[in-house]
Amino acid sequence: SMRLVVVHAADTTPRRVMRQLRQDYGVPIPEALVGSDARFDAKIVDIAPAITVEFRKIPELTMHGSHDRTSIVQSSGFFHSDDPDQLVAAICETTWDGKPIPNDGKPPTRKALAAAGVVSQFLTAADVPAKDEETDFRASAALRAPSGLLLP
């Protein structure tokens, strides 16, 4: 089984992940998450037998800076599983403008997640397609990368 945790700060990130799950895999968007005012934090969506997506608004985990991320990962129960056969993976929203970033948040976030046995992939928050029906290639690739063992 697999739990895919989507770590985000922007409200657009969960929406684009769900939109791409619908487009790529035919996963319906739950009624509670359809409205523009829907809140995704702590929502869990079953996308296939034994595969769930969990949305967590944790901007301090992936934001740039020199703060400690290990304690955030260790204290967040959703990054851990009692089931030895369950893979926990994460798609982490990040910001990047194409220039080097002092105290880039990606390397320490990836390291903290890896120490907990969590596979991670990053998705830039700013690269959102203009129209809902357009393919979000970056979101599609982010979904395939950590979940490639279970999703085609």
Side-chain angles (χ1 to χ4, degrees):
S1 65
M2 183 179 78
R3 177 183 321 129
L4 180 59
V5 181
V6 178
V7 178
H8 65 97
D11 290 333
T12 56
T13 298
R15 294 180 194 293
R16 70 190 283 206
V17 167
M18 282 306 304
R19 185 173 57 236
Q20 206 55 46
L21 282 168
R22 181 188 67 218
Q23 197 170 57
D24 288 351
Y25 304 105
V27 175
I29 298 174
E31 283 295 318
L33 301 178
V34 171
S36 61
D37 61 340
R39 298 291 174 244
F40 284 81
D41 188 33
K43 298 292 189 234
I44 299 171
V45 178
D46 293 323
I47 62 169
I51 302 175
T52 59
V53 175
E54 185 167 341
F55 297 98
R56 292 295 177 159
K57 193 167 190 170
I58 316 172
E60 60 276 8
L61 181 60
T62 59
M63 65 193 249
H64 305 303
S66 59
H67 58 285
D68 176 41
R69 290 153 177 84
T70 303
S71 61
I72 297 169
V73 172
Q74 288 176 345
S75 66
S76 301
F78 44 83
F79 285 126
H80 310 283
S81 176
D82 293 333
D83 181 352
D85 293 328
Q86 183 177 56
L87 170 68
V88 179
I91 293 178
C92 302
E93 170 192 287
T94 189
T95 56
W96 186 57
D97 62 4
K99 299 174 188 158
I101 299 171
N103 293 314
D104 184 355
K106 277 177 64 173
T109 298
R110 188 179 308 276
K111 184 177 179 181
L113 289 168
V118 178
V119 176
S120 60
Q121 178 66 26
F122 289 79
L123 177 62
T124 305
D127 299 331
V128 181
K131 298 179 183 175
D132 277 357
E133 61 276 358
E134 289 183 60
T135 298
D136 186 337
F137 292 104
R138 293 178 190 264
S140 184
L143 282 163
R144 283 192 313 270
S147 57
L149 298 173
L150 300 170
L151 296 174

mmCIF file of all heavy atoms in Angstrom, residues 109-147:
data_model
loop_
_atom_site.group_PDB
_atom_site.id
_atom_site.type_symbol
_atom_site.label_atom_id
_atom_site.label_comp_id
_atom_site.label_asym_id
_atom_site.label_seq_id
_atom_site.Cartn_x
_atom_site.Cartn_y
_atom_site.Cartn_z
ATOM 1 N N THR A 109 15.005 19.395 3.340
ATOM 2 C CA THR A 109 13.699 18.728 3.417
ATOM 3 C C THR A 109 13.825 17.298 2.903
ATOM 4 O O THR A 109 13.345 16.353 3.532
ATOM 5 C CB THR A 109 12.645 19.498 2.602
ATOM 6 O OG1 THR A 109 12.491 20.805 3.150
ATOM 7 C CG2 THR A 109 11.301 18.783 2.619
ATOM 8 N N ARG A 110 14.492 17.132 1.760
ATOM 9 C CA ARG A 110 14.690 15.794 1.196
ATOM 10 C C ARG A 110 15.454 14.901 2.187
ATOM 11 O O ARG A 110 15.118 13.745 2.395
ATOM 12 C CB ARG A 110 15.457 15.902 -0.126
ATOM 13 C CG ARG A 110 15.548 14.588 -0.865
ATOM 14 C CD ARG A 110 16.297 14.716 -2.179
ATOM 15 N NE ARG A 110 15.865 15.745 -3.066
ATOM 16 C CZ ARG A 110 14.860 15.640 -3.938
ATOM 17 N NH1 ARG A 110 14.169 14.529 -4.009
ATOM 18 N NH2 ARG A 110 14.546 16.651 -4.726
ATOM 19 N N LYS A 111 16.479 15.466 2.844
ATOM 20 C CA LYS A 111 17.284 14.713 3.805
ATOM 21 C C LYS A 111 16.449 14.299 5.023
ATOM 22 O O LYS A 111 16.528 13.152 5.473
ATOM 23 C CB LYS A 111 18.477 15.560 4.243
ATOM 24 C CG LYS A 111 19.428 14.852 5.172
ATOM 25 C CD LYS A 111 20.619 15.728 5.514
ATOM 26 C CE LYS A 111 21.559 15.035 6.469
ATOM 27 N NZ LYS A 111 22.699 15.874 6.840
ATOM 28 N N ALA A 112 15.647 15.216 5.550
ATOM 29 C CA ALA A 112 14.816 14.904 6.719
ATOM 30 C C ALA A 112 13.774 13.837 6.386
ATOM 31 O O ALA A 112 13.534 12.924 7.176
ATOM 32 C CB ALA A 112 14.133 16.169 7.241
ATOM 33 N N LEU A 113 13.177 13.934 5.208
ATOM 34 C CA LEU A 113 12.196 12.934 4.796
ATOM 35 C C LEU A 113 12.871 11.580 4.563
ATOM 36 O O LEU A 113 12.350 10.543 4.970
ATOM 37 C CB LEU A 113 11.450 13.394 3.544
ATOM 38 C CG LEU A 113 10.462 14.545 3.763
ATOM 39 C CD1 LEU A 113 9.994 15.119 2.436
ATOM 40 C CD2 LEU A 113 9.277 14.092 4.606
ATOM 41 N N ALA A 114 14.026 11.583 3.908
ATOM 42 C CA ALA A 114 14.749 10.335 3.636
ATOM 43 C C ALA A 114 15.128 9.632 4.943
ATOM 44 O O ALA A 114 15.051 8.405 5.035
ATOM 45 C CB ALA A 114 15.989 10.609 2.791
ATOM 46 N N ALA A 115 15.521 10.397 5.956
ATOM 47 C CA ALA A 115 15.882 9.812 7.248
ATOM 48 C C ALA A 115 14.690 9.087 7.878
ATOM 49 O O ALA A 115 14.862 8.143 8.641
ATOM 50 C CB ALA A 115 16.412 10.890 8.194
ATOM 51 N N ALA A 116 13.475 9.527 7.514
ATOM 52 C CA ALA A 116 12.256 8.883 8.018
ATOM 53 C C ALA A 116 11.768 7.785 7.069
ATOM 54 O O ALA A 116 10.702 7.211 7.278
ATOM 55 C CB ALA A 116 11.163 9.931 8.219
ATOM 56 N N GLY A 117 12.526 7.541 5.992
ATOM 57 C CA GLY A 117 12.147 6.510 5.034
ATOM 58 C C GLY A 117 11.098 6.955 4.039
ATOM 59 O O GLY A 117 10.412 6.129 3.435
ATOM 60 N N VAL A 118 10.962 8.268 3.850
ATOM 61 C CA VAL A 118 9.956 8.827 2.953
ATOM 62 C C VAL A 118 10.610 9.251 1.641
ATOM 63 O O VAL A 118 11.549 10.049 1.637
ATOM 64 C CB VAL A 118 9.241 10.045 3.601
ATOM 65 C CG1 VAL A 118 8.232 10.669 2.646
ATOM 66 C CG2 VAL A 118 8.571 9.625 4.902
ATOM 67 N N VAL A 119 10.107 8.719 0.543
ATOM 68 C CA VAL A 119 10.546 9.107 -0.792
ATOM 69 C C VAL A 119 9.921 10.468 -1.090
ATOM 70 O O VAL A 119 8.748 10.687 -0.798
ATOM 71 C CB VAL A 119 10.052 8.073 -1.831
ATOM 72 C CG1 VAL A 119 10.413 8.491 -3.231
ATOM 73 C CG2 VAL A 119 10.598 6.706 -1.503
ATOM 74 N N SER A 120 10.690 11.394 -1.693
ATOM 75 C CA SER A 120 10.129 12.723 -1.946
ATOM 76 C C SER A 120 10.339 13.183 -3.375
ATOM 77 O O SER A 120 11.287 12.791 -4.047
ATOM 78 C CB SER A 120 10.715 13.750 -0.974
ATOM 79 O OG SER A 120 12.119 13.827 -1.125
ATOM 80 N N GLN A 121 9.426 14.025 -3.811
ATOM 81 C CA GLN A 121 9.476 14.689 -5.102
ATOM 82 C C GLN A 121 9.018 16.123 -4.851
ATOM 83 O O GLN A 121 8.193 16.369 -3.973
ATOM 84 C CB GLN A 121 8.533 13.982 -6.094
ATOM 85 C CG GLN A 121 8.470 14.604 -7.455
ATOM 86 C CD GLN A 121 9.790 14.503 -8.201
ATOM 87 O OE1 GLN A 121 10.588 13.616 -7.960
ATOM 88 N NE2 GLN A 121 10.039 15.425 -9.096
ATOM 89 N N PHE A 122 9.538 17.054 -5.641
ATOM 90 C CA PHE A 122 9.191 18.457 -5.435
ATOM 91 C C PHE A 122 8.422 19.000 -6.632
ATOM 92 O O PHE A 122 8.644 18.575 -7.767
ATOM 93 C CB PHE A 122 10.453 19.279 -5.153
ATOM 94 C CG PHE A 122 11.020 18.979 -3.796
ATOM 95 C CD1 PHE A 122 11.774 17.833 -3.579
ATOM 96 C CD2 PHE A 122 10.761 19.805 -2.724
ATOM 97 C CE1 PHE A 122 12.264 17.520 -2.332
ATOM 98 C CE2 PHE A 122 11.250 19.507 -1.457
ATOM 99 C CZ PHE A 122 12.001 18.360 -1.263
ATOM 100 N N LEU A 123 7.536 19.937 -6.344
ATOM 101 C CA LEU A 123 6.677 20.550 -7.345
ATOM 102 C C LEU A 123 6.687 22.054 -7.128
ATOM 103 O O LEU A 123 6.359 22.520 -6.036
ATOM 104 C CB LEU A 123 5.253 19.990 -7.205
ATOM 105 C CG LEU A 123 4.176 20.536 -8.116
ATOM 106 C CD1 LEU A 123 4.501 20.241 -9.580
ATOM 107 C CD2 LEU A 123 2.822 19.937 -7.746
ATOM 108 N N THR A 124 7.078 22.787 -8.151
ATOM 109 C CA THR A 124 7.141 24.244 -8.032
ATOM 110 C C THR A 124 5.738 24.839 -8.020
ATOM 111 O O THR A 124 4.931 24.554 -8.909
ATOM 112 C CB THR A 124 7.958 24.851 -9.191
ATOM 113 O OG1 THR A 124 9.243 24.225 -9.191
ATOM 114 C CG2 THR A 124 8.133 26.343 -9.035
ATOM 115 N N ALA A 125 5.461 25.666 -7.027
ATOM 116 C CA ALA A 125 4.128 26.230 -6.839
ATOM 117 C C ALA A 125 3.720 27.184 -7.955
ATOM 118 O O ALA A 125 2.547 27.298 -8.271
ATOM 119 C CB ALA A 125 4.055 26.953 -5.499
ATOM 120 N N ALA A 126 4.661 27.848 -8.583
ATOM 121 C CA ALA A 126 4.325 28.885 -9.549
ATOM 122 C C ALA A 126 3.947 28.372 -10.929
ATOM 123 O O ALA A 126 3.395 29.106 -11.725
ATOM 124 C CB ALA A 126 5.499 29.855 -9.686
ATOM 125 N N ASP A 127 4.213 27.127 -11.239
ATOM 126 C CA ASP A 127 4.014 26.594 -12.588
ATOM 127 C C ASP A 127 2.625 26.001 -12.791
ATOM 128 O O ASP A 127 2.487 24.840 -13.139
ATOM 129 C CB ASP A 127 5.070 25.533 -12.897
ATOM 130 C CG ASP A 127 6.471 26.084 -12.841
ATOM 131 O OD1 ASP A 127 6.651 27.278 -13.110
ATOM 132 O OD2 ASP A 127 7.384 25.318 -12.525
ATOM 133 N N VAL A 128 1.590 26.785 -12.593
ATOM 134 C CA VAL A 128 0.222 26.303 -12.708
ATOM 135 C C VAL A 128 -0.331 26.643 -14.090
ATOM 136 O O VAL A 128 -0.276 27.802 -14.504
ATOM 137 C CB VAL A 128 -0.678 26.928 -11.612
ATOM 138 C CG1 VAL A 128 -2.096 26.418 -11.698
ATOM 139 C CG2 VAL A 128 -0.086 26.668 -10.236
ATOM 140 N N PRO A 129 -0.864 25.648 -14.825
ATOM 141 C CA PRO A 129 -1.460 25.945 -16.131
ATOM 142 C C PRO A 129 -2.621 26.924 -16.004
ATOM 143 O O PRO A 129 -3.324 26.949 -14.993
ATOM 144 C CB PRO A 129 -1.960 24.590 -16.622
ATOM 145 C CG PRO A 129 -1.205 23.588 -15.846
ATOM 146 C CD PRO A 129 -0.903 24.226 -14.521
ATOM 147 N N ALA A 130 -2.828 27.710 -17.049
ATOM 148 C CA ALA A 130 -3.860 28.740 -17.032
ATOM 149 C C ALA A 130 -5.276 28.161 -17.004
ATOM 150 O O ALA A 130 -6.170 28.727 -16.384
ATOM 151 C CB ALA A 130 -3.696 29.657 -18.235
ATOM 152 N N LYS A 131 -5.492 27.025 -17.669
ATOM 153 C CA LYS A 131 -6.835 26.449 -17.767
ATOM 154 C C LYS A 131 -6.873 25.074 -17.118
ATOM 155 O O LYS A 131 -5.925 24.308 -17.217
ATOM 156 C CB LYS A 131 -7.243 26.326 -19.239
ATOM 157 C CG LYS A 131 -7.309 27.659 -19.945
ATOM 158 C CD LYS A 131 -7.685 27.469 -21.399
ATOM 159 C CE LYS A 131 -7.666 28.807 -22.126
ATOM 160 N NZ LYS A 131 -7.907 28.648 -23.549
ATOM 161 N N ASP A 132 -8.014 24.759 -16.475
ATOM 162 C CA ASP A 132 -8.182 23.467 -15.803
ATOM 163 C C ASP A 132 -8.002 22.281 -16.729
ATOM 164 O O ASP A 132 -7.513 21.239 -16.318
ATOM 165 C CB ASP A 132 -9.568 23.372 -15.160
ATOM 166 C CG ASP A 132 -9.612 24.036 -13.804
ATOM 167 O OD1 ASP A 132 -8.566 24.522 -13.339
ATOM 168 O OD2 ASP A 132 -10.701 24.054 -13.203
ATOM 169 N N GLU A 133 -8.408 22.418 -17.968
ATOM 170 C CA GLU A 133 -8.339 21.275 -18.880
ATOM 171 C C GLU A 133 -6.950 21.065 -19.476
ATOM 172 O O GLU A 133 -6.691 20.063 -20.130
ATOM 173 C CB GLU A 133 -9.379 21.397 -20.001
ATOM 174 C CG GLU A 133 -9.241 22.607 -20.889
ATOM 175 C CD GLU A 133 -9.899 23.872 -20.328
ATOM 176 O OE1 GLU A 133 -10.507 23.830 -19.255
ATOM 177 O OE2 GLU A 133 -9.788 24.907 -20.997
ATOM 178 N N GLU A 134 -6.033 22.004 -19.258
ATOM 179 C CA GLU A 134 -4.662 21.848 -19.744
ATOM 180 C C GLU A 134 -3.920 20.833 -18.874
ATOM 181 O O GLU A 134 -4.113 20.779 -17.672
ATOM 182 C CB GLU A 134 -3.902 23.175 -19.688
ATOM 183 C CG GLU A 134 -4.347 24.196 -20.706
ATOM 184 C CD GLU A 134 -3.504 25.448 -20.619
ATOM 185 O OE1 GLU A 134 -2.287 25.360 -20.815
ATOM 186 O OE2 GLU A 134 -4.082 26.500 -20.333
ATOM 187 N N THR A 135 -3.050 20.049 -19.504
ATOM 188 C CA THR A 135 -2.245 19.108 -18.745
ATOM 189 C C THR A 135 -1.194 19.867 -17.948
ATOM 190 O O THR A 135 -0.507 20.725 -18.475
ATOM 191 C CB THR A 135 -1.559 18.098 -19.689
ATOM 192 O OG1 THR A 135 -2.571 17.358 -20.359
ATOM 193 C CG2 THR A 135 -0.670 17.148 -18.911
ATOM 194 N N ASP A 136 -1.107 19.559 -16.697
ATOM 195 C CA ASP A 136 -0.094 20.125 -15.810
ATOM 196 C C ASP A 136 1.060 19.123 -15.805
ATOM 197 O O ASP A 136 1.100 18.202 -14.999
ATOM 198 C CB ASP A 136 -0.690 20.310 -14.414
ATOM 199 C CG ASP A 136 0.227 21.020 -13.453
ATOM 200 O OD1 ASP A 136 1.466 21.000 -13.666
ATOM 201 O OD2 ASP A 136 -0.277 21.578 -12.465
ATOM 202 N N PHE A 137 1.962 19.269 -16.761
ATOM 203 C CA PHE A 137 3.023 18.287 -16.943
ATOM 204 C C PHE A 137 3.889 18.117 -15.702
ATOM 205 O O PHE A 137 4.316 17.017 -15.380
ATOM 206 C CB PHE A 137 3.883 18.644 -18.170
ATOM 207 C CG PHE A 137 3.127 18.502 -19.448
ATOM 208 C CD1 PHE A 137 2.660 19.613 -20.125
ATOM 209 C CD2 PHE A 137 2.852 17.249 -19.965
ATOM 210 C CE1 PHE A 137 1.943 19.489 -21.303
ATOM 211 C CE2 PHE A 137 2.139 17.104 -21.148
ATOM 212 C CZ PHE A 137 1.673 18.230 -21.824
ATOM 213 N N ARG A 138 4.139 19.206 -14.988
ATOM 214 C CA ARG A 138 4.965 19.108 -13.777
ATOM 215 C C ARG A 138 4.240 18.331 -12.672
ATOM 216 O O ARG A 138 4.839 17.509 -11.993
ATOM 217 C CB ARG A 138 5.381 20.488 -13.305
ATOM 218 C CG ARG A 138 6.333 21.151 -14.291
ATOM 219 C CD ARG A 138 6.700 22.558 -13.824
ATOM 220 N NE ARG A 138 7.402 23.288 -14.832
ATOM 221 C CZ ARG A 138 8.729 23.389 -14.905
ATOM 222 N NH1 ARG A 138 9.483 22.806 -14.002
ATOM 223 N NH2 ARG A 138 9.290 24.088 -15.871
ATOM 224 N N ALA A 139 2.952 18.579 -12.495
ATOM 225 C CA ALA A 139 2.190 17.830 -11.491
ATOM 226 C C ALA A 139 2.069 16.366 -11.893
ATOM 227 O O ALA A 139 2.179 15.470 -11.059
ATOM 228 C CB ALA A 139 0.807 18.448 -11.289
ATOM 229 N N SER A 140 1.866 16.124 -13.170
ATOM 230 C CA SER A 140 1.774 14.758 -13.667
ATOM 231 C C SER A 140 3.080 14.003 -13.400
ATOM 232 O O SER A 140 3.065 12.865 -12.916
ATOM 233 C CB SER A 140 1.451 14.764 -15.159
ATOM 234 O OG SER A 140 1.270 13.460 -15.641
ATOM 235 N N ALA A 141 4.203 14.635 -13.689
ATOM 236 C CA ALA A 141 5.509 14.008 -13.455
ATOM 237 C C ALA A 141 5.759 13.807 -11.956
ATOM 238 O O ALA A 141 6.288 12.772 -11.544
ATOM 239 C CB ALA A 141 6.622 14.857 -14.065
ATOM 240 N N ALA A 142 5.371 14.768 -11.139
ATOM 241 C CA ALA A 142 5.559 14.646 -9.691
ATOM 242 C C ALA A 142 4.745 13.480 -9.142
ATOM 243 O O ALA A 142 5.205 12.757 -8.259
ATOM 244 C CB ALA A 142 5.168 15.942 -8.989
ATOM 245 N N LEU A 143 3.548 13.283 -9.663
ATOM 246 C CA LEU A 143 2.727 12.154 -9.214
ATOM 247 C C LEU A 143 3.319 10.819 -9.634
ATOM 248 O O LEU A 143 3.266 9.851 -8.889
ATOM 249 C CB LEU A 143 1.309 12.280 -9.776
ATOM 250 C CG LEU A 143 0.426 13.280 -9.058
ATOM 251 C CD1 LEU A 143 -0.773 13.648 -9.913
ATOM 252 C CD2 LEU A 143 -0.014 12.717 -7.716
ATOM 253 N N ARG A 144 3.887 10.753 -10.802
ATOM 254 C CA ARG A 144 4.456 9.492 -11.280
ATOM 255 C C ARG A 144 5.762 9.151 -10.571
ATOM 256 O O ARG A 144 6.055 7.981 -10.346
ATOM 257 C CB ARG A 144 4.709 9.551 -12.787
ATOM 258 C CG ARG A 144 3.468 9.390 -13.607
ATOM 259 C CD ARG A 144 3.785 9.171 -15.069
ATOM 260 N NE ARG A 144 4.747 10.093 -15.605
ATOM 261 C CZ ARG A 144 4.477 11.261 -16.164
ATOM 262 N NH1 ARG A 144 3.224 11.656 -16.250
ATOM 263 N NH2 ARG A 144 5.424 12.032 -16.632
ATOM 264 N N ALA A 145 6.569 10.132 -10.227
ATOM 265 C CA ALA A 145 7.903 9.859 -9.675
ATOM 266 C C ALA A 145 7.878 9.062 -8.375
ATOM 267 O O ALA A 145 8.422 7.971 -8.329
ATOM 268 C CB ALA A 145 8.679 11.160 -9.507
ATOM 269 N N PRO A 146 7.255 9.533 -7.289
ATOM 270 C CA PRO A 146 7.299 8.756 -6.050
ATOM 271 C C PRO A 146 6.357 7.565 -6.060
ATOM 272 O O PRO A 146 6.526 6.631 -5.301
ATOM 273 C CB PRO A 146 6.900 9.750 -4.973
ATOM 274 C CG PRO A 146 6.048 10.740 -5.669
ATOM 275 C CD PRO A 146 6.615 10.837 -7.082
ATOM 276 N N SER A 147 5.353 7.593 -6.921
ATOM 277 C CA SER A 147 4.347 6.530 -6.887
ATOM 278 C C SER A 147 4.490 5.572 -8.056
ATOM 279 O O SER A 147 3.610 4.762 -8.294
ATOM 280 C CB SER A 147 2.960 7.155 -6.884
ATOM 281 O OG SER A 147 2.799 7.998 -8.012
#
